[in-house]
Amino acid sequence: MLFRSRLLVPHKPAEGYKSDHVAVSDILSYTNYDAVYNNFKINQGDSDNIRRLYKWNDQTVVVFKDTSIYTVSNLVGDWGTNAVLDQVTTEFGLVGARSVASAGNDLWFLSQRGVVSLRLTEQNKLQGISEPASTPIQPLIDRIDFRAA
């Protein structure tokens, strides 16, 4: 994913680990990065992989994992000292990497619960909506093969 003239790539730090790291390239140099300083850990130690990075605004990236969602905000200046990692929810995550779409102040996506959204609060934070928007069509959602999604 391209963000603020940098390339962000989720990866596994070593064999046997989950994909919970994000490599960040140097500014305007998509092929160079410092493995020590330009590497984020997104809740290292949990049991789910990063499925998608999504640009929310000019300073925030949403990190969708299998069963949780995080935001990395305040991505200005020196990311190593300014970046803030916040947990949005551990109740659900992203099923299909291509199932994310933004509409106004909401971010819609397919989760294990169905079609859900994240909403921007008055404090400019993302908040998970507990009731899936797809509840009225739950029998159709139950027919989805989530392994193929």
Side-chain angles (χ1 to χ4, degrees):
M1 174 189 128
L2 292 174
F3 183 79
R4 297 185 65 93
S5 300
R6 294 178 182 218
L7 180 65
L8 282 69
V9 180
H11 69 95
K12 295 179 183 182
E15 191 62 36
Y17 285 82
K18 296 290 184 177
S19 175
D20 58 3
H21 285 63
V22 177
V24 180
S25 74
D26 294 338
I27 296 174
L28 296 175
S29 179
Y30 305 124
T31 59
N32 295 322
Y33 92 103
D34 186 327
V36 175
Y37 296 110
N38 293 344
N39 207 8
F40 286 102
K41 297 174 188 162
I42 309 297
N43 196 27
Q44 183 182 19
D46 62 5
S47 63
D48 52 351
N49 290 303
I50 295 175
R51 289 289 169 218
R52 173 96 189 252
L53 302 174
Y54 193 86
K55 177 184 174 183
W56 176 250
N57 58 31
D58 288 340
Q59 298 179 2
T60 306
V61 171
V62 180
V63 181
F64 289 97
K65 296 183 91 177
D66 292 325
T67 60
S68 58
I69 301 169
Y70 295 86
T71 59
V72 181
S73 58
N74 204 25
L75 294 174
V76 293
D78 180 13
W79 289 14
T81 57
N82 294 337
V84 176
L85 177 66
D86 289 316
Q87 184 179 56
V88 176
T89 185
T90 57
E91 294 180 24
F92 50 85
L94 182 68
V95 172
R98 294 184 177 183
S99 69
V100 181
S102 61
N105 288 336
D106 291 352
L107 198 57
W108 295 86
F109 59 95
L110 180 63
S111 76
Q112 298 84 352
R113 300 171 130 190
V115 178
V116 295
S117 70
L118 298 177
R119 180 164 292 149
L120 191 64
T121 65
E122 292 177 6
Q123 293 81 23
N124 208 24
K125 297 279 188 179
L126 281 175
Q127 175 183 359
I129 306 302
S130 60
E131 182 68 26
S134 61
T135 300
I137 60 166
Q138 194 59 40
L140 292 173
I141 298 296
D142 291 339
R143 292 177 22 199
I144 294 175
D145 181 5
F146 288 112
R147 293 172 297 169

